[in-house]
């Protein structure tokens, strides 16, 4: 079970906690300590929690934006050719395909010739 504790704070941290008091020893915040040693979320002020939540959402948004930019960039590099360029390149692609097939057929013919030869 948790417990309450008065922790000393600086004047910069006054807006961070919901229960702040001033004593002869200085500023203190009354916080609730959970069993695992962390400060309970209810010990912080609403404005501080809102600010933290906005920062987290901003970080998440930045990560998502970076991933979207990467995805869009990869899509652009994959299909960089327009319709006109595809039409212009089509005969050359066909010619390259035909040359590759010719070399494959010739190499298979030579290989079968070597394997089927009767010379020992």
């Amino acid at each position: 079970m948790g417990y309450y504790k008065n922790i000393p704070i600086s004047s910069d941290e006054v807006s961070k906690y919901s229960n702040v008091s001033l004593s002869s020893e200085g500023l203190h915040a009354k916080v609730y300590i959970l069993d695992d040693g962390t400060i309970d979320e209810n010990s912080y002020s609403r404005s501080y929690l809102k600010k933290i939540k906005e920062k987290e959402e901003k970080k998440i948004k930045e990560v998502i934006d970076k991933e979207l930019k990467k995805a869009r960039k990869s899509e652009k590099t994959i299909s960089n050719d327009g319709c006109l360029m595809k039409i212009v390149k089509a005969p050359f692609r066909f010619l390259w395909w035909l040359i590759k097939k010719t070399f494959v057929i010739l190499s298979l013919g030579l290989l079968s010739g070597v394997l089927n030869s009767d010379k020992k």
Side-chain angles (χ1 to χ4, degrees):
M1 180 129 190
Y3 59 93
Y4 283 98
K5 180 179 180 180
N6 286 328
I7 58 170
I9 59 170
S10 66
S11 58
D12 297 337
E13 297 177 311
V14 170
S15 63
K16 185 176 179 179
Y17 298 99
S18 62
N19 192 356
V20 178
S21 61
L22 177 63
S23 65
S24 60
E25 298 170 2
L27 288 170
H28 286 77
K30 187 175 184 180
V31 296
Y32 187 75
I33 307 294
L34 298 172
D35 293 334
D36 60 358
T38 60
I39 298 175
D40 184 31
E41 189 176 285
N42 294 328
S43 298
Y44 296 109
S45 66
R46 288 182 183 171
S47 61
Y48 177 74
L49 291 174
K50 184 178 178 182
K51 188 187 306 182
I52 296 297
K53 188 175 183 180
E54 287 173 355
K55 285 182 183 178
E56 289 175 358
E57 288 174 353
K58 185 177 179 183
K59 287 180 184 178
I60 291 170
K61 186 178 183 224
E62 288 174 358
V63 170
I64 291 172
D65 288 344
K66 285 181 183 178
E67 292 298 322
L68 284 174
K69 285 180 183 178
K70 286 180 185 177
R72 288 180 187 145
K73 189 175 181 179
S74 66
E75 285 178 7
K76 287 180 182 178
T77 57
I78 290 172
S79 61
N80 204 12
D81 293 341
C83 185
L84 184 62
M85 283 305 293
K86 287 182 180 178
I87 293 171
V88 170
K89 290 181 179 180
F92 297 106
R93 289 183 182 170
F94 175 73
L95 187 62
W96 179 244
W97 176 81
L98 196 61
I99 291 169
K100 287 192 309 185
K101 290 297 177 186
T102 304
F103 282 123
V104 167
I105 291 170
L106 287 176
S107 63
L108 288 176
L110 289 174
L111 183 65
S112 68
V114 170
L115 292 175
N116 293 333
S117 68
D118 291 336
K119 293 181 180 178
K120 288 187 181 183

